[in-house]
Amino acid sequence: QVQLVESGGGLVQAGGSLRLSCVAHTNTFSAYVMGWFRQAPGKEREFVAAIGWSAMSTDYADSVKGRFTISRDNPENMVYLQMSGLKPEDTAVYHCAANRRSYGRNPDEYEYWGQGTPVTVSS
């Protein structure tokens, strides 16, 4: 079992930046692929970014590529999402997720989820 807790969300103006953090309560953090997903009101959960076990591999949705950066700190059991150039359409609840089996964009592949942290971008 892995408990994930996100933080760092808030209200920001368009063009601004936020850094989301997620701490994983597990003794085997480096064994998990970590992902960030988001869900806006009335919309399905969508992939944002993923990072491989050793942080050598990263993947981004086209909508955030060049603006968001995912990173991880395995000794600290942390994964981060640095967001810059925020747009109103980035408004959503952001969730981190973990899975042992695959490196992918499908939320069904992820076994563990945090409760999420809300991000609101005003125009």
Side-chain angles (χ1 to χ4, degrees):
Q1 193 73 12
V2 179
Q3 183 184 10
L4 302 172
V5 181
E6 304 95 335
S7 61
L11 174 63
V12 63
Q13 288 188 332
S17 298
L18 279 175
R19 187 196 197 203
L20 305 184
S21 300
C22 173
V23 60
H25 296 284
T26 174
N27 291 328
T28 56
F29 179 67
S30 62
Y32 290 89
V33 170
M34 299 300 297
W36 284 96
F37 292 79
R38 66 187 182 186
Q39 188 164 19
K43 295 189 176 181
E44 292 188 355
R45 189 168 292 187
E46 67 171 347
F47 170 79
V48 175
I51 188 164
W53 297 270
S54 65
M56 296 294 289
S57 298
T58 57
D59 187 26
Y60 296 92
D62 288 345
S63 59
V64 307
K65 198 171 293 183
R67 299 188 297 122
F68 291 10
T69 302
I70 189 171
S71 61
R72 68 188 296 162
D73 183 340
N74 283 349
E76 296 296 325
N77 284 19
M78 296 293 295
V79 62
Y80 304 99
L81 186 68
Q82 178 68 48
M83 307 185 295
S84 60
L86 283 162
K87 305 175 181 180
E89 51 263 43
D90 294 318
T91 295
V93 176
Y94 284 71
H95 300 266
C96 71
N99 91 84
R100 283 182 180 267
R101 295 186 297 266
S102 66
Y103 175 69
R105 298 183 171 200
N106 186 346
D108 292 338
E109 298 172 346
Y110 288 77
E111 303 163 77
Y112 302 104
W113 291 84
Q115 295 281 53
T117 185
V119 172
T120 302
V121 184
S122 63
S123 57

